[in-house]
Every structure is written in structure tokens, then in C-alpha cells.
Amino acid sequence: MLEVKQLGTRSPQGWKALIDATFEVADGTCLAVIGTNGSGKSSLLKSITGEYGIVQGELLISGCQLRELSPQQKAKLIAVVAQNDYVDPRLTVREYVSLGRVPHAFCCSQGAHLAAVDNALNDVKLLEKSNRKMGSLSGGEQQRANIARAFAQQPQLLLLDEPTNHLDPLARLELLALIKRKGVACIAVLHDLQLVAPFADKVVLMDNQRAVKCGSPEEILSNQYITPIFGLNVLTFQHPHLNNAVHHFEAAS
């Protein structure tokens, strides 16, 4: 779905946004992007959307060079949930989620649009609140509406920048599990390292605007990589009932 090869990008203001990144995302797989503040995580997402210009390397989506795609083609392929999406509080939840259908405005029937919006609202458990104003929702509900808008867009690639903001611990796990079940190729910037292993098929570790390593959660969530970047020690053990690896992080002495 996505191929990133020695990618380097610059912001519209001219500063280096990304220096070197190489990784792939296959159809239906989830990739987590981790790193400390300022390491280039959000810049990586903006590079994939084309907001930051490519100065070296390649970025291919479904085999096509990003720079060769029109804005409408990009909008049909990629949906983005940013950290601080502005939402007009006067819109109803349904009106807001329906904005995800804009890229498909002239190529789908009205019935197809309505079904896509209803399915997205139902996925995030907001169907019963679809006529409420966005300004009346809690922070967590607004974040779920953001995800629903992206789902309604029916993208081939979903980009999420800290998608679990404003959610309690259980809601975070449930939302990431839902995204994983959608079967859409997904790249998510995650701040909470505890969420990475249950969600991600692969992990990209960012440092100083570089993707220093891409690998499985078991490989990346280890002292070899986590300790020098985050200053944390990793304790890994098997869950007694689920029979999967559980990671615990504590400050390195």
C-alpha cells in the first residue's frame, strides 16, 4: 500500500521536516510510529500527505508517486485525523462525519453516502447521538467523531496523529482495536508505549527526524532501542491468560 524509500522532506517554511525514512505498509496492516517529542513523528505523517515537500527519496502509494497524484486522488486514498482538528461546534455529529464523503461527492449515489456515514457512526458508537451538536460532545466523543469522519471517507490509508487523546484507558484500547478490525492500512502516532504491542503489526522508531528502525513490536519494544531513545527499561513477560507478550516500562537507573 505504502512504500517509503530514504525519504527526506521540507516544510513550506524551508526547514528540514524529515531527513531519512524507509519502511513499507502492506494492505490491512497497522504501523505505529513512536519517538520522543520533536523526533519527527507528526512530520512523517505530513510528509505522507504531501503537506511537506519531498527533497530526496521516494514515496509511493499503491505504486504511484505521491507527487503525481492530484489533491482529489489523495483525498480518496488517504484520510487523516490530526492532533488538533478544528470542529465547528454548530455542526451536528452527522453533518461533521458527512464531511468525510466530500472526496466522493460526484462518484457515489446518495444512498451510498448515507450508508457510509451510518456505518461510520455505528462503528464508533455515536449513531444515537448523530443529531447532537458537536459542541455538546465530550472530548472523547469528539475524538470518536473525528475517527468516524475518517471511516466515512473510506480511505485505503488511514493516518492518525495521537488518536487516543482525551480517551480513558479502556476507551483507548477499544478504539485501537476497532481501527485494527477495519482492515484498512493504518499509520498511527502513539505516545503511550503500552498501546503499541496490542495494536501494531510493525513499529517505526523516530529520532532526530529519522526513522532509525522499523520492525516488529517485539523487536522495537526492547532495551536495545527503547532505553537509548526514551531512557526507559523494558520488562517483557507472557500474559498468564492471553498467552501474549506484555511490556512494562520504567525509568532507567
Side-chain angles (χ1 to χ4, degrees):
M1 179 59 216
L2 178 72
E3 297 177 76
V4 177
K5 303 177 181 179
Q6 297 179 320
L7 184 66
T9 60
R10 286 187 183 275
S11 74
Q13 294 76 30
W15 46 267
K16 291 182 179 179
L18 199 65
I19 296 173
D20 183 21
T22 298
F23 60 90
E24 296 180 355
V25 181
D27 284 332
T29 61
C30 295
L31 180 140
V33 181
I34 63 173
T36 57
N37 292 339
S39 61
K41 303 186 297 298
S42 295
S43 292
L44 176 60
L45 297 192
K46 291 178 180 179
S47 298
I48 295 171
T49 63
E51 185 174 344
Y52 291 164
I54 297 174
V55 295
Q56 71 176 40
E58 291 185 310
L59 197 161
L60 295 93
I61 299 176
S62 295
C64 299
Q65 294 279 359
L66 178 71
R67 56 169 63 96
E68 296 175 357
L69 298 175
S70 69
Q72 184 176 11
Q73 288 173 317
K74 292 178 188 176
K76 286 184 176 181
L77 288 171
I78 305 171
V80 182
V81 177
Q83 279 194 55
N84 299 303
D85 280 334
Y86 170 75
V87 180
D88 188 330
R90 298 168 296 178
L91 292 175
T92 67
V93 175
R94 178 175 292 277
E95 288 170 339
Y96 176 67
V97 173
S98 296
L99 294 175
R101 300 302 301 164
V102 170
H104 307 279
F106 302 107
C107 59
C108 292
S109 67
Q110 184 66 17
H113 290 309
L114 291 173
V117 171
D118 280 346
N119 289 337
L121 287 166
N122 189 58
D123 281 341
V124 301
K125 301 178 181 179
L126 284 178
L127 188 57
E128 294 182 355
K129 297 183 178 181
S130 61
N131 293 320
R132 286 182 51 179
K133 299 292 186 181
M134 287 294 296
S136 72
L137 300 184
S138 68
E141 288 171 332
Q142 287 195 14
Q143 185 68 345
R144 283 193 278 141
N146 291 336
I147 299 294
R149 175 185 52 77
F151 283 174
Q153 195 172 330
Q154 296 179 320
Q156 295 184 34
L157 178 63
L158 183 59
L159 303 181
L160 307 170
D161 198 352
E162 299 287 358
T164 59
N165 278 354
H166 311 297
L167 300 180
D168 59 51
L170 178 59
R172 292 177 183 180
L173 292 171
E174 290 177 341
L175 183 64
L176 291 178
L178 168 63
I179 292 167
K180 194 173 181 69
R181 288 197 304 271
K182 289 293 286 186
V184 178
C186 177
I187 301 176
V189 171
L190 295 178
H191 176 74
D192 187 347
L193 296 179
Q194 299 282 4
L195 300 174
V196 173
F199 169 77
D201 300 295
K202 296 172 67 177
V203 182
V204 166
L205 176 62
M206 299 294 299
D207 188 43
N208 291 321
Q209 282 67 55
R210 289 181 169 87
V212 297
K213 184 66 178 180
C214 179
S216 67
E218 291 74 20
E219 181 180 11
I220 303 300
L221 298 178
S222 64
N223 287 321
Q224 179 181 357
Y225 296 107
I226 295 299
T227 303
I229 299 296
F230 290 91
L232 298 172
N233 285 332
V234 185
L235 302 176
T236 304
F237 55 93
Q238 289 298 115
H239 192 286
H241 303 298
L242 301 179
N243 197 32
N244 60 348
V246 177
H247 301 85
H248 173 73
F249 305 90
E250 60 182 25
S253 57

